[in-house]
Amino acid sequence: MTDAATQAAAAPAAPPPASASQQRYTAVAIALHWIIAFSILGLIAVGWTMETLQHGDLEARAQYQSIVQLHKSFGITVLLLSVARIAWRLMNPPPPEPAMPGWQAFAANAVHILFYVLMIVMPLSGWIMASASPAFETRYFGLVDIRLPVLPTLPMESREGIENAAGTVHEFLPWVILALFVLHVGAALKHQFVDRDGLLARMAPGLFGRTAGPPGAGRGATWAFGSAVVIFAAVVGASMLAASPTVAPAVAEEEQQPVLSKAPAWTVDPAKSSLAFKFGYMGTEYTGKFPEWTAQIQLDTDAAPNQQTPVDGYVRVAIPVAKISTGQEYFDGNVVQGDWFDVPKFPEAVFEVKGGVYKLSPTDYEATGVLHLKGVDHPVRLPFKLTLDGTTATMHGEVTLARMDLGIGKSTATAGEGDAEWVRNEVQVIVDVVATRQ
Ligand code: HEM
Ligand code: HEM
């Protein structure tokens, strides 16, 4: 034996790391612990940033809108993972605790149980708030509307009450989470670095030392994750069912014979004509337009003014709603969706003169007709001015419509008198037409 070999054999063996005697959590429990822990901290940070953005300038508010959607999507994911985690925990008991005084074991268990409760109640309060809220849909990563069932259909006052209550819970609980977090992390660090019992390695093996492996191979993954998937599918299904159309599409209207008129026809000059609207969003006014529309116009402009009898005329304006442009990309994306114009189901809006066009003075007219929107007819009176220059007519008309009466963004109503928190109820429609007589 060499001198070196003799020395090595005689030297006392280094004690194994404390963690080596500890068993670790199963891989699934460890993965879920860290994914959920970081997500919750991220969601709190994002939540508080959103608060600031919401009260900023337009750009900040537009950012708020997209971030809030992401916040909701990640938050719901945390909820589903937490369901899976709790189910997994029930089927896979944790490794036996390291030796510690009874009160510490009790405190640790209490914090863990409270954490599990918060992992459900925190995202659920957000989901309840968002589902009762009159703001935009909760689109899961931009894909499907997953508002909780029933809530969106309740009367506005109940929704408001539920939204406020859930909102209070959602604002308060992050502080509870953070307080528990300080206790939880403080305790974990104390075990690791003061007691040196290798506790951290149970939840972060590899990073904080070797462990003796989990107590079992882990079982029940299908049940744990399956239950989360089933809950999610049930909510998506209920949300989609609630959103199915309740009114017939515009077909019946199209089949009706247009009112015949012998009045001269007018050809619209699209370059000089426009169909615009002004709307208010969070106190600021914006102007949007429908860039594409076609009009069939027949009107006897030579008739004498008469308050009682309409002049010979017929007007039908067809508007492909999908082309709507608000000047703000964010609004354009939202306004075509379900609660708003619901373009996939109702691609076209039609204004048609039904009650006649009245000539009130040489230049003042009023068209009485119906606006066919989202499968429903609404009576509309459009006063307009019309001036003639040879065979060219220049027309300007304005009408203020209450969008919620038209079923546009209906769920954004927050007050009985029809005022809206986000988007003003009154929308001013401005029609400018330059047309040539045929
Ligand atoms: C918001 C963030 C966090 C939440 C909600 C959370 C939640 C939990 C829960 C519920 C358990 C109990 C597991 C069980 O036995 O069923 C647990 C265990 C554990 N957590 Fe966290 N945790 C968070 C962050 C952290 C952080 C940052 C650390 C690192 C310092 C950490 C270290 C541990 C350790 C070491 C255990 C195992 C304790 C034991 O062996 O009994 N956790 N955590
Ligand atoms: C564990 C998951 C979640 C955490 C930790 C979390 C955290 C937060 C925080 C800290 C805020 C700011 C609160 C304030 O001071 O005003 C917030 C706001 C918000 N959260 Fe969550 N959230 C979670 C899940 C969700 C979910 C699932 C939804 C909806 C589906 C949601 C919807 C909202 C909304 C709409 C706001 C903004 C409220 C407002 O504009 O006043 N959250 N969240």
Side-chain angles (χ1 to χ4, degrees):
M1 221 187 251
T2 63
D3 280 359
T6 320
Q7 273 175 14
S19 60
S21 57
Q22 295 279 355
Q23 284 191 305
R24 64 171 178 263
Y25 281 81
T26 56
V28 173
I30 293 173
L32 288 173
H33 173 270
W34 292 112
I35 293 172
I36 293 173
F38 285 117
S39 305
I40 288 181
L41 296 177
L43 282 162
I44 295 179
V46 167
W48 283 337
T49 315
M50 288 180 340
E51 274 300 294
T52 324
L53 288 175
Q54 194 184 0
H55 301 109
D57 57 11
L58 171 68
E59 204 179 326
R61 276 177 281 152
Q63 263 179 347
Y64 167 81
Q65 293 285 8
S66 7
I67 291 177
V68 100
Q69 289 296 352
L70 273 178
H71 175 90
K72 294 193 274 190
S73 302
F74 277 107
I76 288 168
T77 310
V78 165
L79 175 61
L80 297 170
L81 289 177
S82 300
V83 169
R85 181 168 174 197
I86 291 169
W88 178 266
R89 169 68 163 79
L90 294 173
M91 288 182 286
N92 297 276
E97 277 159 10
M100 64 176 101
W103 71 268
Q104 278 186 20
F106 175 81
N109 277 331
V111 169
H112 292 171
I113 291 169
L114 272 176
F115 261 151
Y116 282 126
V117 171
L118 288 165
M119 272 178 230
I120 299 293
V121 178
M122 182 67 211
L124 198 57
S125 63
W127 204 358
I128 291 173
M129 164 175 58
S131 304
S133 161
F136 296 109
E137 296 103 312
T138 297
R139 296 208 149 247
Y140 191 68
F141 292 107
L143 298 174
V144 272
D145 181 12
I146 47 165
R147 271 175 294 187
L148 286 165
V150 183
L151 290 173
T153 57
L154 292 176
M156 199 49 74
E157 313 81 66
S158 322
R159 287 173 62 177
E160 223 175 310
I162 294 172
E163 187 191 355
N164 289 340
T168 309
V169 170
H170 203 72
E171 266 179 41
F172 172 69
L173 287 189
W175 296 103
V176 180
I177 294 181
L178 289 185
L180 290 178
F181 179 80
V182 170
L183 289 177
H184 181 67
V185 174
L189 297 180
K190 186 212 171 239
H191 275 278
Q192 181 71 21
F193 298 110
V194 180
D195 303 340
R196 294 180 181 275
D197 58 9
L199 180 113
L200 260 182
R202 289 155 57 88
M203 200 46 107
L207 223 54
F208 291 96
R210 284 184 293 118
T211 59
R219 62 188 182 91
T222 317
W223 279 106
F225 290 93
S227 57
V229 171
V230 167
I231 292 175
F232 185 77
V235 174
V236 172
S239 187
M240 283 166 90
L241 276 178
S244 13
T246 48
V247 272
V251 181
E253 186 69 21
E254 302 293 338
E255 283 166 359
Q256 282 180 12
Q257 278 289 316
V259 180
L260 290 174
S261 163
K262 296 199 179 72
W266 297 78
T267 306
V268 175
D269 179 347
K272 293 186 183 144
S273 306
S274 71
L275 181 53
F277 56 93
K278 284 191 179 152
F279 66 101
Y281 174 77
M282 283 175 132
T284 311
E285 183 153 281
Y286 298 90
T287 304
K289 61 179 177 173
F290 290 99
E292 278 180 30
W293 45 275
T294 49
Q296 177 189 345
I297 304 177
Q298 286 173 272
L299 190 62
D300 179 6
T301 49
D302 297 333
N306 186 327
Q307 308 261 352
Q308 266 73 48
T309 319
V311 297
D312 188 8
Y314 172 74
V315 178
R316 186 180 190 279
V317 183
I319 309 153
V321 186
K323 303 287 189 283
I324 190 168
S325 150
T326 58
Q328 304 287 331
E329 210 175 303
Y330 175 74
F331 297 148
D332 291 351
N334 270 291
V335 85
V336 293
Q337 293 173 7
D339 264 4
W340 295 84
F341 282 101
D342 203 356
V343 168
K345 272 181 227 129
F346 307 105
E348 192 178 66
V350 174
F351 172 73
E352 186 174 17
V353 163
K354 284 276 171 76
V357 181
Y358 289 80
K359 186 171 181 179
L360 306 173
S361 83
T363 54
D364 288 299
Y365 292 75
E366 189 170 271
T368 55
V370 292
L371 178 61
H372 187 80
L373 199 58
K374 290 176 87 173
V376 181
D377 283 342
H378 307 274
V380 170
R381 282 172 174 269
L382 173 67
F384 62 92
K385 281 201 179 297
L386 186 145
T387 49
L388 276 172
D389 182 10
T391 57
T392 302
T394 304
M395 172 259 184
H396 173 85
E398 287 183 15
V399 60
T400 300
L401 302 174
R403 64 171 177 82
M404 283 183 285
D405 294 346
L406 306 179
I408 303 298
K410 219 172 173 123
S411 69
T412 62
T414 53
E417 67 272 22
D419 210 349
E421 185 188 17
W422 301 79
V423 184
R424 199 175 58 206
N425 190 20
E426 289 76 31
V427 176
Q428 199 184 357
V429 178
I430 305 142
V431 189
D432 280 288
V433 177
V434 174
T436 327
R437 184 162 43 203
Q438 297 308 296

